[in-house]
Amino acid sequence: MADSSFDIVSKVDHQEAENALNQARKEVEQRYDFKGTGASVEWSGESILIKANTEERAKAVLDVFQTKLIKRGISLKSLETGDPFASGKEYRIVSELKDGISSENAKKIGKIIRDEGPKGVKSQIQGDELRVQSKNRDDLQAVIALLKGSDLDVDLQFINYR
């Protein structure tokens, strides 16, 4: 019998992220406490640029955007946010959506599977994802439960379960 397997990935639905950004932009434009403050949230190439006239307002706009992401089902682990910095008369925050599993995180996940997972489970890194294989499907279920319970700074999805 062939080995059963599944892939571990970290992907962001970019259409949902776009929708969340548009909702946040509309809310910032309409809210009374943001009127006349130059507050905005927009795409800047691959990153998200948040602007406001004070550091507190910039953080409030970031909070609005994070709330919209959560409502759209995107984990905040996928959002990498920088610190607010002054740029002329305004404060800016640059954020990026992380796609894929970095090699160091892939090694961490592989180590967790080796150390704490059932015996006979193999994992291998394939680019920005991990493939986990075992002869026993129950062992694969145990690995998924183990990884869901572990505290990693990556949003994981489990796909191609065969």
Side-chain angles (χ1 to χ4, degrees):
M1 186 178 130
D3 284 0
S4 299
S5 68
F6 68 89
D7 294 333
I8 303 172
V9 297
S10 179
K11 301 253 187 259
V12 174
D13 185 350
H14 287 281
Q15 184 60 50
E16 289 296 331
E18 179 81 28
N19 292 341
L21 185 96
N22 288 335
Q23 284 182 333
R25 185 168 26 85
K26 283 181 183 175
E27 183 171 326
V28 166
E29 288 170 358
Q30 292 175 351
R31 270 184 38 182
Y32 178 76
D33 55 337
F34 289 127
K35 291 270 192 252
T37 62
S40 68
V41 56
E42 62 201 28
W43 286 106
S44 172
E46 285 294 309
S47 58
I48 296 144
L49 181 64
I50 296 171
K51 300 182 208 173
N53 63 356
T54 65
E55 188 174 341
E56 290 75 29
R57 289 256 200 285
K59 287 181 179 177
V61 173
L62 176 65
D63 187 48
V64 168
F65 179 56
Q66 287 175 338
T67 304
K68 298 301 179 190
L69 283 176
I70 291 170
K71 284 185 179 176
R72 289 257 170 210
I74 298 175
S75 172
L76 292 183
K77 291 180 180 178
S78 301
L79 184 69
E80 195 165 288
T81 305
D83 292 328
F85 62 93
S87 173
K89 292 182 178 179
E90 64 188 12
Y91 283 85
R92 295 179 175 201
I93 300 175
V94 177
S95 301
E96 291 189 10
L97 291 170
K98 294 188 289 188
D99 235 353
I101 301 173
S102 67
S103 61
E104 66 182 43
N105 281 328
K107 288 176 186 174
K108 270 189 216 173
I109 294 169
K111 183 169 174 28
I112 289 172
I113 292 171
R114 273 193 317 277
D115 294 348
E116 301 172 30
K119 300 296 176 213
V121 175
K122 299 182 291 268
S123 68
Q124 68 187 95
I125 301 171
Q126 297 179 334
D128 62 350
E129 56 186 54
L130 247 78
R131 164 132 324 143
V132 180
Q133 295 177 317
S134 174
K135 295 209 180 295
N136 188 348
R137 285 181 162 234
D138 292 339
D139 290 348
L140 293 180
Q141 293 286 348
V143 168
I144 290 174
L146 171 73
L147 291 176
K148 282 184 177 178
S150 61
D151 185 31
L152 297 165
D153 57 347
V154 179
D155 181 35
L156 299 177
Q157 292 94 31
F158 307 99
I159 60 171
N160 297 338
Y161 186 79
R162 299 187 185 107

